[in-house]
Amino acid sequence: MNYTVRIAGKDIPIQADLSEAGTCAAVIDGREVKAGYCIVSENRILIEIDGRTVSAFLAEGQDGLLVNVGGITYPVQDADVLAKAGPRRRGKELPQEVTPPMPSVVVRIMVSEGDRVEKGQAVAVVSAMKMETTLQAPYAGRVVRVNAAEGEKVMPGRILLDIEKEEDA
Amino acid sequence: MFKKILIANRGEIAVRIMATAREMGIRTVAVFSEADRQALHVLEADQAVHIGPSEPSESYLNMDRVIEAARRTGAEAIHPGYGFLAENALFAERCAREGIVFIGPPPEAIRDLGDKTVARRIMAESGVPVIPGTMEPSTDPDVLSREADRIGYPVLVKAAAGGGGKGMRVVRDPAELRDACTSASREAKGAFGNGDIFLEKYIERPRHVEFQVLADSRGNVVHLLERECSIQRRHQKIIEETPSPALTPELRERMGAAAVAAAKASGYVNAGTVEFLLDTDGSFYFLEVNTRLQVEHPVTEMVTGIDLVRRQLEIASGAGLGLTQDDVRARGHAIECRIYAEDPLSGFLPSPGKISYVHEPRGPGIRNDCGVYAGFTVPFEYDPILSKLITHASTRDECIDRMIRALKDYVILGVLTPIPFLVDILSSKAFRRGETFTDFIDTHFSPWNPVLEHVEAAALAYVIHASKEKRPAVQGTAAQEYSPWQALGNFRP
């Protein structure tokens, strides 16, 4: 079986032959590995790798399969499936929309329709689990529409403000 | 003793209070909001009353509905837990008017101590040392700016009604004072309904050391030793321990005596916590009194063997302490780690959502005060605390080792948690040496990057899982698949 999995932003090719008896010959990221495994339950697989046995706990998550080993949860995704799905925004730069990072309540909208905003300017404040988060303008431009009211519950992906991007002079 | 009590709270603390009530043969009533229909505290209670929509103001903070629930179910007393109505003097008064016992201090004590400027005055008059700062609350930027100049920068802007780091700002540059005061006041108004703020001299590198006190209605007050709560993120505690690595027996005795004096000065009854800032030179200052059961109370319970909730219920029902200061003895060391639904890699941003799997650690000296379960959706309306993991051992070193082991065995899938971050803090040399100051995380763990030790195993687990899904279910029996002895090949433990 050949897969390319994405873990912590890195694509790792893995080729594995799994036997019914629970042995496994694999090449992980170019390294040959002899391993043993045992499916304990749908949430737990025992894995012996390099003479060390660890429990991998797993469950389906929003961003792929969640695999916890040694106290750390690794979201594991199939890189081939991701590639087919097309590019996805990732990384630490500003998101390109004014949208909450998690389900939240709108605390304040700090701009009005027609206002000119600078890139990075604070435009809205949302609150989730008693913590306020300030949302910033992704680019300089003009606010053409305010789509949410203070006190409203909003989900990630909901665009709170439409900002018309200013063309670079 | 009461026959039935209502717990006006949710999550792990409601579940914890019910555990003691059940041991005492007291029936329990839970209240719940729309988002909490299937919350653990509802499942654990003898009776549960729906009190409104998910917004806290319409449910857990709504006095009318909580009182009505107590009336309808015939609960004689209300335990408020922490947060929500726990430190609300109006609520305590209301309970008294309705003939329901409020399991906590008298309303006057809550009011006086809840206003931090009043509390500072009471303590200063009783000879308890306080941090230099303003004695009157204000929202006037001109007054605050003059006061800040008098105290000297850096100053700490704090909410008079505050707690948990809300409405708090450190200001080093006079030019930033106005903005900080405005935003702190607004945050305080939103969180506590009171925008009053005051200023204190900001102490660099303090430790946060608090003393648990117990007072009965007959004037007996004892302290149950200290808790060191210096490891904080966003001004909120995440690791607490007792005893504090910073206290000598002599300092412990002086601080304990100050804590008892503070309780007596404020006419305190029931369980409370006197918080101090401890400076590097050994001088300590009164910070505030928390007029409630604290989140971190279990570490005190572990070392003293005293069930604080049981004591609260006894005191509230009018019984005496039956305990002198000499009866309070600590054994060993205890540490608590708070497990929040949050992402330690992006500024501890909350991470609400559905928990798909939980595996709890077990073994000697491990306690997990947990308010969630696999299948529960963590609502975004409330505090993100999921559980508190507590370990107890005979020495600090053993207790740290035990906590690291327990954390690594604690699996919560579906929401993010700071578990790997906590493991790294506890594994650090600075923590091991007891160099726990409130700037610990900024100093040692900003930024923090987890060591990804098991990427290969995680990748392999993914492939095994994927192949199992693809494989038709015919081959082998279920029994074979689940037996490690047949399935693991040459593996032997």
Side-chain angles (χ1 to χ4, degrees), chain B residues 211-361:
Chain B
F211 275 72
Q212 176 71 51
V213 294
L214 275 178
D216 66 19
S217 49
R218 304 161 193 191
N220 302 305
V221 184
V222 297
H223 72 81
L224 269 58
L225 304 161
E226 80 276 10
R227 292 184 288 259
E228 158 95 38
C229 311
S230 300
I231 310 286
Q232 309 187 351
R233 55 114 188 77
R234 294 192 345 232
H235 294 293
Q236 260 192 337
K237 303 161 188 170
I238 51 169
I239 300 175
E240 299 99 343
E241 63 180 310
T242 186
S244 162
L247 296 199
T248 60
E250 185 270 327
L251 186 53
R252 180 171 295 116
E253 199 171 316
R254 279 200 292 134
M255 291 178 79
V260 169
K264 285 188 169 159
S266 55
Y268 204 83
V269 179
N270 213 293
T273 295
V274 185
E275 296 191 341
F276 296 104
L277 280 187
L278 178 61
D279 210 342
T280 35
D281 64 359
S283 44
F284 61 91
Y285 304 98
F286 170 80
L287 196 59
E288 61 184 50
V289 178
N290 294 126
T291 59
R292 58 164 193 266
L293 184 66
Q294 294 273 97
V295 175
E296 59 272 25
H297 76 275
V299 290
T300 299
E301 296 186 324
M302 299 301 263
V303 298
T304 62
I306 291 171
D307 181 335
L308 284 167
V309 173
R310 179 181 284 264
R311 294 284 170 170
Q312 284 194 293
L313 294 170
E314 288 171 354
I315 292 167
S317 72
L321 265 186
L323 198 65
T324 65
Q325 195 59 57
D326 281 345
D327 296 330
V328 179
R329 287 272 175 272
R331 264 185 65 247
H333 199 95
I335 299 177
E336 171 185 281
C337 284
R338 298 189 188 189
I339 314 297
Y340 286 103
E342 65 183 18
D343 182 1
L345 276 176
S346 47
F348 302 98
L349 213 58
S351 168
K354 184 166 181 172
I355 296 179
S356 41
Y357 183 75
V358 179
H359 175 84
E360 295 184 49

Side-chain angles (χ1 to χ4, degrees), chain B residues 22-87:
Chain B
R22 278 214 304 272
E23 287 165 22
M24 296 172 73
I26 301 169
R27 295 182 61 78
T28 54
V29 181
V31 292
F32 63 97
S33 73
E34 199 56 41
D36 275 340
R37 281 191 175 278
Q38 293 179 358
L40 190 59
H41 74 283
V42 176
L43 309 184
E44 299 268 314
D46 291 314
Q47 240 179 314
V49 182
H50 177 247
I51 52 166
S54 307
E55 290 78 13
S57 60
E58 297 295 313
S59 48
Y60 298 107
L61 283 173
N62 190 303
M63 295 187 210
D64 290 342
R65 292 186 191 161
V66 172
I67 296 279
E68 167 61 20
R71 290 225 149 289
R72 235 173 51 214
T73 53
E76 301 142 86
I78 296 180
H79 196 306
Y82 55 72
F84 295 123
L85 298 169
E87 289 170 284

Side-chain angles (χ1 to χ4, degrees), chain B residues 2 55 60 98 126 134 139-140 150 166 186 190 226 261 268 301 303 310 314 324 390 418 424 487 493:
Chain B
F2 312 115
E55 290 78 13
Y60 298 107
E98 304 271 352
S126 311
T134 58
T139 48
D140 181 342
R150 181 181 63 81
K166 285 185 187 66
R186 190 174 55 220
E226 80 276 10
Y268 204 83
E301 296 186 324
V303 298
R310 179 181 284 264
E314 288 171 354
T324 65
I390 304 112
D424 284 1

